[in-house]
Amino acid sequence: MEELKHRGHKREGRHRDTWDPFQLNPIGAEKEQKRRCFQLAQHLVAVIVGLLVLTSAVLSKGSLLIMSTLSSPSALAPQKEKQYYILLLTVSLVVPNFLVFLKSLWKCVFKSVFHTPNMKMMGMICLIESLVALGTGVLVLIVMPQFDVLTNLFISGGVSFVSSLLQIGFRLQFRSQENWKIIFPICSVFLILTGYSLLGLDYYVRVTSYVSDQKGESYWYVGIAILSSILVSLNWWENPFQASNKIEHLLADLDTYRDFVFIISSLLRIFVVGAVWALYYSFIATDKIVWEDFKNLPDEMRNQGLSLFALQVICSALCHWFGVVACKIHAVRMSFALPVCFTGPATLMLGLILFIVQTKTLDTSEIHGFTQFCSSLPTLLDKDRNATHVLIEVSRSICRTSLNNRYATWPFSMLALEGVCMWLGLLAATRYVWKIKVQRIERTSQLFVRRLYEAAFIDQSLLLNTKMKVVRALNQDSKDEAENCMIYLCATMWHETYDEMLKILTSMFRFDRYRGDPKEEHNDCFDFECHIFVDDAYMKDKDTDKRLVNDYVNDLIHVVIEVYRVFTNKEPDEVSIIETPYGGRLIFVMPEGNMLYVHLKDKTLIRNKKRWSQIMYMYYLLGWKGYIVKNPPKITRQNNICRSSLISLDGESYLLPNETNDSKRRHISDDNTYILALDGDTDFRPEAVMLLVDRLRMYENVGAACGRIHPTGMGPMVWYQKFEYAVGHWLQKTAEHVFGSVLCSPGCFSLFRGSALMDDNILKRYTTKATRGSEYVQYDQGEDRWLCTLLLQQGWRVEYNAASDAYTNSPQEFAEFYNQRRRWGPSTLANTLDLLHSGKETVKKNTSISGIYIFYQIFTVGSSILGPASVTLMVAGAFQFVFKIEGTLSIIISSIPPVIYMILCFTTKPNFQITVAAILSILYAFLMTASFFSIIGDMVQQGTFVTPTGIFLISMTIMYLVTAILHPQEFSMIIYGLMYFICIPSGYLLLTIYSLVNMHIVSWGTRESSKAKETQKRVGVLCDRTCKLCCWDMTCQVTQETESLLLQQIQHAVGPNGQPAAAAAPATQGVNNANVPQNSRPDAQHLEMAELKTTETGQTSKGPGRDLDDSGSERSHSTDSDARTEPLFENEDDDFDDDDDMDDPIMDDKEDLVAEPESDWVGPVKTEFLKKLTYCNLKRNLQEQIRYTLRNKNQDDVCEDLVMNLTDVVNAELSAKVGPEDVLEESQLEELQLALNEAARRILKTNRMERLDKRVKRAIERTLLAPQVEQLPEDERDFWVKLLERYLAPIVDTKAHLDEVVQELKALRNRAVFLYFMLNLLWIVATFFLQAIGTDVISIKIPKVDPINGSWTGEYMMVEPLSLMFLLSFAVLLIVQFLAMLYHRVYTLIHVVSYRSTEKDYVEKEDEDPEALIMENIVANGLMVTSEDCLQ
């Protein structure tokens, strides 16, 4: 209700100014806000992850301590059980190293390029790893079984000793204000040494006090334990070294061959740990290994040991993984540091609780004191046979501590103090973990030093393994914030509708609002520009033969104005119109100050279609702008001092946003320059873009990233596509992302890295003009997939982010859908085959693509090629189920329609083919529906679903249902699954035939427009001549229908006395100004300028109530010499002399410029934007401009006072002079500006806010600023001319060449159809003969199982081996994709949670003091102003 009232209030305000207050309010234009449910979900996820980290760490540590206790020589278990647990401890230590070996081997073989290692570095690392493995093996396998469970728990804290010493050295090399932090590693060393001393003193007291099972040899084990823990602490030596800038460069080469180092070191550690176990227990230990005992272990003992071993191994791996997740979701303190730090105390508390619970189950009524309890423990256990073996051994182990001292229990405090010292020493050594700053998305290698964990020291390894200084992306080692990046939003338009344009413009304006003022900082550290490239933007007017913008461009202009009005409640402030060599350009300053460029392409000047638009903006944004920022031009005098100058009229320093972006780009590398490719109907949110930016920021080998594309629209075809897109993204794209690289990043919403596009053999190759038939299919029919293929072949990775949602219109008509897929199908196959053909070279270059992934793609391509045959056999099965037809006959019947349809596709026109396909699709849909219910009925009749068909159907249903549940926001897509199922024959059989047979047709197939709207019909032409009359070129065309009219117009142009009428000349149909060279008609320039004087304003001086859009005649007959044709406040007189300008170093001596004549299309476009200066719009614009200008000044009262009084001034000046829809003339605008400035000065003086005077004047100036017609800089014009000549000149093919291409395309079509036909025919024939031979001869017997009790019914099901093989292969493929989806969903959740936790609105800053003249920071903006520049 509040929203309704708010909209009503705004509408009432507009209604006071105009009779047309109604406006569109597109969906999504409302301001984004953080949803509280997401915030609660973030905290809930953080709490759950923290609890999982703590639980898994406690279970890991506890199970290891229990196995160590059960292997103790003082345990009651038999010797073979002790050796069994020692063996399990050994394997537990080996498992993490084995996992490291497998992961490193995979990366070394499939992912990375081998680099020759530095042998000295390798030798040093192998030595350290051997010492660590030796210390770990001795401590865990030899020493810990000799100690009690509490000592084993406490002594593990000493493994941070060497790390603390290295941190002291790290701190000593710096002289800064943070030198005081050296106290933490010093305290850690002191506490650990104190703990070691207390350990020795505690065992001295035990031995001298004759505590049970304590002998003099315990001193040796104490010394060995201390030495072993010091050796183990060498494990994290690299962490302090990586944090040191002086030493870090020595380890830089290590990253190039780290995988190879891990392979060698993991094998070495496995060998050393195994050697320690084998040597000690085979030759040194009192109780030697008896190998035969391992064969005769009791089942209970074996199961208990395996359970403890599995618990330790699984919980250690889960603890490490959940710890990584906690860091990546930005819950380092709550979900990582806190639970890991308290793992030791939590394990102690859990052990004590279990011990107390165990003692309460015993009869201890006659026992007093702990010593008596320990001495009576054997007797108590004999009475209570229900006590578990594990708790008994834990209780006996605790009885070996000083608590069982017969003389005094105070020595136990030394053991407790030892534990406190070791724990505090660990916290002091890892204090930096609590202060670590994590970016939104981090790689595991950027968070942790080592690849995995230490099983025996899970909590210590996680803390000590966390990097002291997180290495930032792209070598930003010393920065806590991400490097700034530049994003170019590039949308290509081709005959979009008004509603489609509304989507993309709304999305761009949302992104502008998300970014905010480009002069202000943003949490995501980025800047952006919007570029829209409109293909086929011009037309020839039928009546005047003028070159004007077409209806699509007019719709786009109206959409921009409408969206601007929705977001700001006013008209666009600053609009520029520029003529360019490729057509024209419109420039808008968006509400927050970011730039929007609309490039209008004339297909007679530049190549049209999407690929050439992409080449156009890639060369412009990456090539030209990249060159400009590396070679900045000198600052020249600006023609329009109100918008473009470095110093404005009021003396305040500011630059246009686009100039600021270009100067910022000077400090942004090509790696951090991104292009967001969009279609003209894409709808997206800012967070979708930022999620893609995260992928490219953090993974330097990612060349492109795409999001989840959602088709929009209504109707059965859209329903089919919704589920098709969902399955394609849920399973296929995730599998490609996980196992290798995405093959296609769709051009409707994909982010590309600038350096990737600029790489060799990519952009240059992308400019290749198709000359052969196969090139037309691969290059022009699927340009997005070809670009991704080029990226993959050069070693770049393409990724998929499932949380980055974008919405685009999909074909709603059957014919449009078939024509779209007619382009996509052959192009997909051609590019995939190209990638597979270069598979060996691609595997060598691309670390994301392996031989296994190439095999996976071969399998998927093979499946798609055999798709028609598989669908035909499915239809045959449907015939068999529904009509009870024999198998061989059903195959023959099902093969007849595809064959007939293929013949029709060869012999009839495409429209008729589509009609036949639509009819067959309906029939197939009925058949598939009947088949679906028949299968269900068959399972009911047989009383079991354990049949190949039943199992396949039910498993697929369950899999898709689970997949949909894991995508909760898209769960509704499962509803369209039935529609997808019944349309399988149409989509995979008929569509495949149609696409292949019509491969030779290379037209776009969608959004085609009629040429009749733009050109005149040449019917009944009597005369068509071009002649010269004086200095004019005239085209005379006489037809039967218009002969008399044409003669009258020529007579009117010549005049009654034979003299040319200059005012009427532009309206004569016989004059074609576009084809007249400038040097051949000296007077044409003056005549054309006279025409533009009348057409730009669109009106004469008008009285109140005269509407701008009353009629075209009113615009064309306006001859008022006072009509405003140039931007407001721009000097039109070249001889105008201004002393202030002469004194300004920037505004000195300008060259005399000769204005070029404006094209015909400029005037009508400018007229449309002049509506900003109508009386009703001007009032609203002024009010909103004042509010926006003073938005950060905390002067709401002054602001509203200004709005109210200035509105009164406008009403007083204009209400009696003009109507609400009339455009103000220049003289009226000048008078109004003087009145507004005086009123504003008076109001500010009254409120003692004179410091805002210049700011308010600038707001008034911007409100009264007219749209401007500007000229393209000479250097940029030269760039466009050369680019057109080299790459983008319109393609003019000879008829012979076109005929040759058509023949090549038909030959290619014939070869492809023949290959498809033969392969599918072989598959069908093989199945047919297997059916004909009979299942009794060649078949596989599968026992029939009762689904209720799972027992065999005694019957067998006969299945053909070929069908079973295909079914199993397809099932395996789906299972692999399903597992990849599960993996991808987890990491998508991590990314989304981390994004939501860091998503912030931009922080607004107070503007600079306007009283002072401020030149902007030279270094920050990359713009240097020198005396030499000022003389230009």
Side-chain angles (χ1 to χ4, degrees):
M1 193 63 188
E2 293 296 330
E3 181 66 21
L4 292 175
K5 292 181 179 179
H6 177 67
R7 292 203 303 267
H9 178 72
K10 292 176 63 176
R11 184 175 60 254
E12 289 177 3
R14 295 193 301 269
H15 209 174
R16 282 190 288 267
D17 300 328
T18 178
W19 55 266
D20 187 14
F22 317 110
Q23 67 178 22
L24 291 175
N25 194 359
I27 298 175
E30 64 279 357
K31 194 168 185 178
E32 296 86 355
Q33 295 179 351
K34 282 190 175 182
R35 285 182 278 184
R36 193 170 296 275
C37 60
F38 278 121
Q39 295 177 341
L40 294 176
Q42 293 165 21
H43 295 302
L44 180 62
V45 169
V47 170
I48 292 174
V49 171
L51 291 175
L52 291 173
V53 170
L54 180 61
T55 302
S56 56
V58 169
L59 292 177
S60 172
K61 185 171 282 292
S63 58
L64 183 96
L65 293 173
I66 290 173
M67 287 193 291
S68 178
T69 302
L70 294 175
S71 63
S72 174
S74 60
L76 298 176
Q79 181 60 32
K80 62 180 179 181
E81 183 176 350
K82 298 176 185 178
Q83 290 298 329
Y84 175 57
Y85 282 108
I86 288 292
L87 178 61
L88 293 178
L89 279 175
T90 305
V91 179
S92 299
L93 298 180
V94 165
V95 167
N97 297 296
F98 182 69
L99 295 177
V100 171
F101 170 76
L102 291 180
K103 188 172 184 178
S104 302
L105 182 64
W106 170 267
K107 288 196 170 186
C108 201
V109 173
F110 297 112
K111 296 291 185 179
S112 61
V113 180
F114 178 77
H115 295 275
T116 304
N118 186 320
M119 299 311 296
K120 291 184 179 180
M121 181 65 71
M122 277 286 298
M124 184 189 73
I125 293 175
C126 290
L127 176 61
I128 294 175
E129 294 294 330
S130 301
L131 294 176
V132 172
L134 177 63
T136 304
V138 170
L139 182 61
V140 177
L141 303 179
I142 299 176
V143 177
M144 289 179 65
Q146 305 295 329
F147 289 165
D148 60 89
V149 64
L150 295 181
T151 303
N152 289 336
L153 176 63
F154 297 154
I155 198 173
S156 59
V159 297
S160 60
F161 182 74
V162 172
S163 180
S164 299
L165 290 177
L166 294 177
Q167 287 185 51
I168 295 174
F170 164 66
R171 294 293 180 187
L172 288 175
Q173 64 177 325
F174 294 104
R175 295 184 180 274
S176 65
Q177 297 178 352
E178 296 188 352
N179 279 345
W180 63 272
K181 293 183 180 180
I182 196 175
I183 192 174
F184 293 103
I186 292 176
C187 289
S188 176
V189 172
F190 174 76
L191 289 169
I192 293 173
L193 291 177
T194 303
Y196 285 150
S197 302
L198 291 172
L199 173 64
L201 187 59
D202 177 49
Y203 267 84
Y204 172 78
V205 173
R206 294 189 197 185
V207 174
T208 56
S209 301
Y210 302 102
V211 176
S212 61
D213 295 329
Q214 300 297 337
K215 303 177 182 178
E217 61 184 12
S218 298
Y219 299 132
W220 289 101
Y221 288 111
V222 170
I224 295 174
I226 294 173
L227 178 61
S228 299
S229 63
I230 293 175
L231 291 178
V232 174
S233 64
L234 290 171
N235 196 25
W236 301 279
W237 65 273
E238 194 177 344
N239 198 354
F241 281 111
Q242 284 190 354
S244 172
N245 293 328
K246 294 183 179 179
I247 308 176
E248 184 182 6
H249 68 279
L250 298 176
L251 302 175
D253 293 339
L254 180 59
D255 292 332
T256 60
Y257 52 87
R258 188 175 290 275
D259 292 321
F260 181 75
V261 170
F262 279 140
I263 291 176
I264 302 300
S265 62
S266 58
L267 292 175
L268 187 61
R269 292 186 64 166
I270 292 173
F271 172 77
V272 172
V273 171
V276 169
W277 170 72
L279 292 176
Y280 181 78
Y281 288 99
S282 298
F283 303 103
I284 302 176
T286 304
D287 300 321
K288 305 295 190 299
I289 298 176
V290 180
W291 300 101
E292 295 297 328
D293 291 342
F294 295 119
K295 299 180 181 179
N296 304 318
L297 293 175
D299 292 339
E300 182 180 357
M301 180 192 305
R302 182 185 295 108
N303 294 336
Q304 178 179 285
L306 290 177
S307 300
L308 288 172
F309 169 75
L311 185 65
Q312 204 282 329
V313 170
I314 294 174
C315 288
S316 298
L318 289 177
C319 181
H320 173 264
W321 188 78
F322 283 124
V324 174
V325 170
C327 293
K328 289 187 175 183
I329 64 174
H330 293 247
V332 177
R333 293 185 180 182
M334 183 175 66
S335 302
F336 178 73
L338 183 64
V340 173
C341 287
F342 282 89
T343 296
T347 305
L348 177 61
M349 294 299 298
L350 179 62
L352 293 177
I353 291 173
L354 293 176
F355 175 75
I356 293 172
V357 171
Q358 173 67 28
T359 57
K360 286 185 177 181
T361 61
L362 303 175
D363 184 11
T364 59
S365 58
E366 299 179 356
I367 298 175
H368 304 284
F370 189 77
T371 303
Q372 188 177 359
F373 168 79
C374 290
S375 60
S376 304
L377 187 59
T379 305
L380 295 173
L381 294 175
D382 290 336
K383 295 180 181 179
D384 187 3
R385 296 294 181 180
N386 295 325
T388 61
H389 177 58
V390 173
L391 291 177
I392 292 171
E393 293 297 343
V394 172
S395 301
R396 295 187 71 255
S397 180
I398 295 176
C399 288
R400 297 169 58 194
T401 64
S402 299
L403 281 174
N404 193 20
N405 195 319
R406 297 179 181 272
Y407 305 101
T409 57
W410 66 264
F412 181 75
S413 60
M414 291 187 297
L415 180 61
L417 188 59
E418 172 203 344
V420 172
C421 289
M422 290 294 190
W423 182 61
L424 293 178
L426 176 65
L427 295 185
T430 58
R431 173 191 171 274
Y432 61 88
V433 176
W434 296 82
K435 301 294 183 180
I436 192 173
K437 293 183 179 180
V438 182
Q439 290 191 39
R440 175 178 299 159
I441 178 173
E442 291 279 9
R443 303 180 68 173
T444 305
S445 59
Q446 294 171 337
L447 292 170
F448 300 99
V449 178
R450 301 186 62 82
R451 181 150 287 168
L452 281 178
Y453 55 91
E454 296 296 325
F457 317 100
I458 185 64
D459 50 341
Q460 291 86 358
S461 66
L462 286 177
L463 291 174
L464 294 170
N465 199 31
T466 306
K467 287 192 175 183
M468 295 177 60
K469 182 181 67 175
V470 177
V471 179
R472 295 302 170 196
L474 304 179
N475 299 324
Q476 295 187 71
D477 300 347
S478 60
K479 296 183 180 180
D480 292 328
E481 297 182 356
E483 186 177 348
N484 196 38
C485 67
M486 186 67 194
I487 307 174
Y488 294 107
L489 278 64
C490 300
T492 55
M493 285 192 174
W494 171 257
H495 298 171
E496 272 74 15
T497 64
Y498 190 95
D499 290 336
E500 291 172 340
M501 295 177 185
L502 198 63
K503 290 182 180 180
I504 185 66
L505 265 301
T506 302
S507 300
M508 288 181 170
F509 276 69
R510 273 199 304 254
F511 201 63
D512 171 68
R513 184 169 59 195
Y514 176 80
R515 172 58 183 90
D517 194 331
K519 297 188 294 296
E520 297 170 347
E521 294 180 358
H522 193 277
N523 186 60
D524 291 320
C525 302
F526 75 97
D527 293 286
F528 83 98
E529 290 178 3
C530 294
H531 294 262
I532 297 177
F533 294 81
V534 184
D535 266 313
D536 192 18
Y538 294 90
M539 68 176 183
K540 284 292 184 68
D541 185 74
K542 293 181 180 180
D543 300 325
T544 63
D545 203 32
K546 292 182 179 179
R547 175 173 166 265
L548 305 174
V549 295
N550 57 23
D551 292 337
Y552 297 107
V553 178
N554 290 327
D555 285 345
L556 180 60
I557 293 172
H558 294 154
V559 169
V560 172
I561 296 173
E562 189 69 30
V563 174
Y564 202 105
R565 188 182 296 125
V566 168
F567 276 77
T568 63
N569 201 31
K570 60 187 179 70
E571 310 297 312
D573 285 329
E574 300 170 273
V575 181
S576 296
I577 305 171
I578 302 178
E579 296 184 55
T580 62
Y582 58 81
R585 181 188 301 172
L586 307 179
I587 304 177
F588 303 88
V589 179
M590 301 172 81
E592 296 294 339
N594 299 288
M595 301 301 296
L596 169 63
Y597 299 84
V598 178
H599 304 264
L600 307 178
K601 295 174 58 181
D602 188 342
K603 62 183 180 182
T604 63
L605 302 176
I606 189 172
R607 297 178 191 177
N608 63 336
K609 296 299 179 67
K610 184 175 180 179
R611 178 160 75 98
W612 303 112
S613 293
Q614 291 177 333
I615 293 171
M616 176 182 175
Y617 66 65
M618 288 176 188
Y619 266 93
Y620 174 54
L621 300 175
L622 300 177
W624 169 248
K625 287 203 170 187
Y627 170 79
I628 285 298
V629 298
K630 294 178 178 64
N631 302 274
K634 302 293 184 181
I635 297 179
T636 58
R637 172 187 171 90
Q638 303 293 332
N639 294 330
N640 181 6
I641 53 180
C642 294
R643 292 189 66 243
S644 305
S645 60
L646 181 66
I647 303 176
S648 67
L649 285 177
D650 54 24
E652 187 170 1
S653 168
Y654 70 98
L655 290 172
L656 265 182
N658 62 319
E659 296 178 356
T660 305
N661 283 339
D662 290 344
S663 62
K664 287 180 180 179
R665 169 120 182 245
R666 187 176 181 182
H667 301 281
I668 298 176
S669 64
D670 294 330
D671 288 330
N672 290 329
T673 302
Y674 308 134
I675 288 182
L676 181 65
L678 301 166
D679 277 353
D681 59 354
T682 305
D683 184 14
F684 62 91
R685 295 274 179 178
E687 56 266 24
V689 181
M690 300 318 301
L691 289 172
L692 296 183
V693 171
D694 288 341
R695 308 301 302 181
L696 271 67
R697 261 184 173 155
M698 296 314 304
Y699 301 94
E700 60 275 4
N701 66 327
V702 175
C706 62
R708 167 70 165 95
I709 309 302
H710 300 263
T712 58
M714 297 182 64
M717 290 311 306
V718 177
W719 300 342
Y720 171 84
Q721 292 173 83
K722 282 180 178 291
F723 191 79
E724 181 193 31
Y725 273 67
V727 172
H729 286 88
W730 290 352
L731 298 176
Q732 296 173 9
K733 259 193 168 45
T734 54
E736 290 178 350
H737 174 94
V738 172
F739 298 124
S741 177
V742 175
L743 297 188
C744 179
S745 187
C748 59
F749 187 70
S750 293
L751 190 69
F752 293 90
R753 188 188 300 275
S755 59
L757 296 174
M758 298 166 69
D759 199 1
D760 297 342
N761 296 327
I762 295 181
L763 183 52
K764 189 71 173 179
R765 176 83 182 277
Y766 198 55
T767 62
T768 304
K769 175 187 172 184
T771 56
R772 298 181 300 174
S774 59
E775 293 175 350
Y776 276 95
V777 174
Q778 183 178 4
Y779 297 176
D780 293 334
Q781 298 296 289
E783 64 287 331
D784 305 329
R785 186 172 287 270
W786 183 42
L787 180 59
C788 291
T789 301
L790 296 177
L791 289 170
L792 294 174
Q793 290 173 337
Q794 283 301 108
W796 294 94
R797 174 176 169 81
V798 181
E799 290 198 346
Y800 164 62
N801 189 297
S804 181
D805 296 305
Y807 302 83
T808 184
N809 282 4
S810 58
Q812 303 185 46
E813 301 296 333
F814 189 84
E816 188 181 5
F817 172 75
Y818 259 53
N819 284 326
Q820 182 195 65
R821 300 309 169 92
R822 185 253 301 159
R823 290 187 292 111
W824 287 6
S827 172
T828 298
L829 183 62
N831 281 282
T832 306
L833 292 177
D834 183 19
L835 183 65
L836 297 179
H837 178 72
S838 61
K840 291 184 178 180
E841 293 75 14
T842 304
V843 169
K844 293 178 182 178
K845 286 185 177 182
N846 198 318
T847 58
S848 299
I849 295 180
S850 62
I852 296 177
Y853 181 70
I854 293 294
F855 176 77
Y856 167 80
Q857 289 298 334
I858 291 174
F859 185 79
T860 55
V861 170
S863 300
S864 64
I865 291 176
L866 295 177
S870 303
V871 173
T872 302
L873 295 176
M874 181 187 298
V875 173
F879 277 115
Q880 198 170 1
F881 269 112
V882 177
F883 302 107
K884 307 301 180 184
I885 302 176
E886 187 180 348
T888 54
L889 182 60
S890 65
I891 293 177
I892 295 175
I893 295 175
S894 64
S895 301
I896 293 175
V899 173
I900 294 177
Y901 181 67
M902 185 170 63
I903 296 173
L904 289 176
C905 289
F906 273 102
T907 56
T908 60
K909 294 183 178 181
N911 289 337
F912 182 75
Q913 300 170 24
I914 293 175
T915 303
V916 174
I919 297 173
L920 290 176
S921 298
I922 296 174
L923 297 177
Y924 275 129
F926 282 115
L927 180 62
M928 294 300 293
T929 304
S931 174
F932 175 75
F933 289 104
S934 298
I935 293 173
I936 297 176
D938 181 67
M939 288 189 293
V940 172
Q941 287 181 355
Q942 295 189 16
T944 179
F945 63 85
V946 188
T947 63
T949 306
I951 293 175
F952 182 77
L953 180 63
I954 293 176
S955 60
M956 291 302 100
T957 302
I958 294 174
M959 189 187 72
Y960 284 130
L961 185 62
V962 172
T963 303
I965 292 174
L966 293 175
H967 296 76
Q969 292 181 322
E970 306 173 36
F971 182 77
S972 60
M973 296 296 106
I974 201 70
I975 300 174
Y976 307 113
L978 183 60
M979 181 71 187
Y980 179 81
F981 175 77
I982 66 176
C983 291
I984 285 177
S986 178
Y988 290 90
L989 178 60
L990 301 178
L991 180 57
T992 302
I993 296 173
Y994 176 79
S995 301
L996 288 173
V997 177
N998 291 279
M999 186 188 299
H1000 62 288
I1001 301 176
V1002 294
S1003 64
W1004 203 248
T1006 56
R1007 300 187 188 275
E1008 300 289 354
S1009 63
S1010 175
K1011 302 292 184 182
K1013 294 181 180 180
E1014 301 177 8
T1015 58
Q1016 301 181 45
K1017 294 182 179 180
R1018 302 172 60 87
V1019 180
V1021 178
L1022 299 178
C1023 177
D1024 188 1
R1025 296 295 178 89
T1026 300
C1027 60
K1028 288 189 176 182
L1029 180 63
C1030 297
C1031 60
W1032 291 90
D1033 287 347
M1034 297 188 63
T1035 300
C1036 298
Q1037 186 179 95
V1038 182
T1039 64
Q1040 292 175 348
E1041 295 84 355
T1042 60
E1043 179 180 1
S1044 60
L1045 176 61
L1046 182 59
L1047 293 175
Q1048 291 176 7
Q1049 289 177 339
I1050 296 176
Q1051 187 178 19
H1052 175 69
V1054 175
N1057 298 324
Q1059 299 295 328
T1068 305
Q1069 291 185 1
V1071 179
N1072 187 358
N1073 293 335
N1075 298 325
V1076 182
Q1078 295 290 338
N1079 55 5
S1080 65
R1081 47 187 180 96
D1083 296 330
Q1085 186 177 27
H1086 300 287
L1087 294 172
E1088 188 169 350
M1089 290 301 294
E1091 173 199 355
L1092 293 173
K1093 279 277 187 182
T1094 62
T1095 59
E1096 282 179 8
T1097 59
Q1099 62 177 6
T1100 60
S1101 298
K1102 301 167 67 174
R1106 298 282 299 278
D1107 195 311
L1108 179 68
D1109 295 329
D1110 286 344
S1111 66
S1113 61
E1114 183 178 353
R1115 291 192 296 270
S1116 62
H1117 291 86
S1118 173
T1119 57
D1120 190 350
S1121 61
D1122 295 331
R1124 179 171 41 85
T1125 62
E1126 295 298 328
L1128 187 63
F1129 308 122
E1130 187 171 58
N1131 296 333
E1132 297 181 45
D1133 191 351
D1134 291 339
D1135 298 329
F1136 184 87
D1137 189 15
D1138 190 340
D1139 295 336
D1140 294 336
D1141 288 349
M1142 295 298 293
D1143 295 336
D1144 194 320
I1146 302 289
M1147 315 290 284
D1148 57 355
D1149 305 338
K1150 77 168 184 176
E1151 300 176 359
D1152 292 331
L1153 300 176
V1154 178
E1156 295 184 1
E1158 295 175 356
S1159 298
D1160 297 330
W1161 65 272
V1162 175
V1165 172
K1166 183 177 179 181
T1167 300
E1168 191 64 40
F1169 291 114
L1170 281 174
K1171 294 179 182 179
K1172 164 194 174 181
L1173 299 178
T1174 60
Y1175 174 28
C1176 63
N1177 287 335
L1178 202 150
K1179 282 198 298 182
R1180 184 175 68 251
N1181 294 345
L1182 179 62
Q1183 294 169 0
E1184 298 300 327
Q1185 192 68 254
I1186 294 295
R1187 292 191 178 102
Y1188 179 80
T1189 302
L1190 303 179
R1191 67 193 186 282
N1192 296 333
K1193 294 304 175 182
N1194 299 322
Q1195 298 292 339
D1196 294 337
D1197 295 337
V1198 177
C1199 179
E1200 292 304 320
D1201 191 16
L1202 279 170
V1203 169
M1204 182 177 63
N1205 285 277
L1206 294 183
T1207 303
D1208 292 340
V1209 171
V1210 173
N1211 291 330
E1213 291 287 330
L1214 301 179
S1215 60
K1217 299 179 181 179
V1218 295
E1221 301 294 331
D1222 289 342
V1223 176
L1224 273 66
E1225 298 179 3
E1226 184 175 2
S1227 59
Q1228 295 172 326
L1229 289 171
E1230 291 176 351
E1231 294 174 1
L1232 179 61
Q1233 184 185 18
L1234 294 176
L1236 289 173
N1237 287 339
E1238 179 61 27
R1241 186 189 63 78
R1242 185 173 61 254
I1243 296 169
L1244 292 175
K1245 185 175 181 181
T1246 302
N1247 290 275
R1248 298 182 179 180
M1249 298 295 293
E1250 292 90 343
R1251 61 185 181 85
L1252 299 178
D1253 182 55
K1254 293 186 172 108
R1255 185 177 300 278
V1256 174
K1257 284 184 178 179
R1258 190 166 70 250
I1260 296 171
E1261 178 182 338
R1262 288 165 61 92
T1263 303
L1264 303 178
L1265 187 64
Q1268 319 212 1
V1269 179
E1270 300 179 355
Q1271 296 181 9
L1272 201 65
E1274 286 299 323
D1275 52 353
E1276 185 176 343
R1277 178 177 292 275
D1278 181 65
F1279 156 75
W1280 284 114
V1281 170
K1282 292 180 179 178
L1283 180 65
L1284 292 176
E1285 292 176 356
R1286 191 171 301 177
Y1287 299 115
L1288 297 177
I1291 298 176
V1292 180
D1293 289 324
T1294 62
K1295 186 177 184 303
H1297 176 70
L1298 293 177
D1299 293 339
E1300 182 182 355
V1301 170
V1302 170
Q1303 294 302 321
E1304 289 183 4
L1305 285 170
K1306 289 184 177 180
L1308 179 65
R1309 183 268 313 269
N1310 295 336
R1311 291 195 300 270
V1313 171
F1314 178 77
L1315 177 63
Y1316 256 81
F1317 180 78
M1318 291 304 299
L1319 291 176
N1320 286 272
L1321 181 63
L1322 289 174
W1323 184 260
I1324 294 175
V1325 168
T1327 306
F1328 175 83
F1329 279 107
L1330 286 174
Q1331 286 279 355
I1333 293 173
T1335 56
D1336 295 334
V1337 180
I1338 302 177
S1339 63
I1340 298 176
K1341 294 182 178 181
I1342 300 178
K1344 194 173 181 180
V1345 180
D1346 189 343
I1348 298 176
N1349 53 24
S1351 60
W1352 178 41
T1353 61
E1355 301 177 0
Y1356 291 94
M1357 293 179 293
M1358 302 298 181
V1359 181
E1360 305 144 9
L1362 200 61
S1363 301
L1364 182 62
M1365 181 191 68
F1366 181 79
L1367 196 65
L1368 290 177
S1369 301
F1370 186 68
V1372 169
L1373 178 64
L1374 287 178
I1375 291 173
V1376 169
Q1377 292 179 345
F1378 182 77
L1379 295 176
M1381 182 272 301
L1382 292 177
Y1383 177 87
H1384 192 267
R1385 290 308 293 167
V1386 172
Y1387 282 92
T1388 299
L1389 176 63
I1390 293 172
H1391 191 181
V1392 170
V1393 173
S1394 65
Y1395 173 79
R1396 295 295 180 184
S1397 62
T1398 58
E1399 182 186 16
K1400 294 180 181 178
D1401 295 330
Y1402 65 90
V1403 180
E1404 294 183 348
K1405 287 186 173 182
E1406 290 291 339
D1407 293 339
E1408 304 287 349
D1409 184 6
E1411 294 296 329
L1413 176 63
I1414 301 173
M1415 299 298 290
E1416 296 201 7
N1417 188 311
I1418 292 175
V1419 177
N1421 289 329
L1423 184 65
M1424 181 170 291
V1425 182
T1426 64
S1427 59
E1428 182 181 345
D1429 297 325
C1430 297
L1431 295 176
Q1432 299 296 319

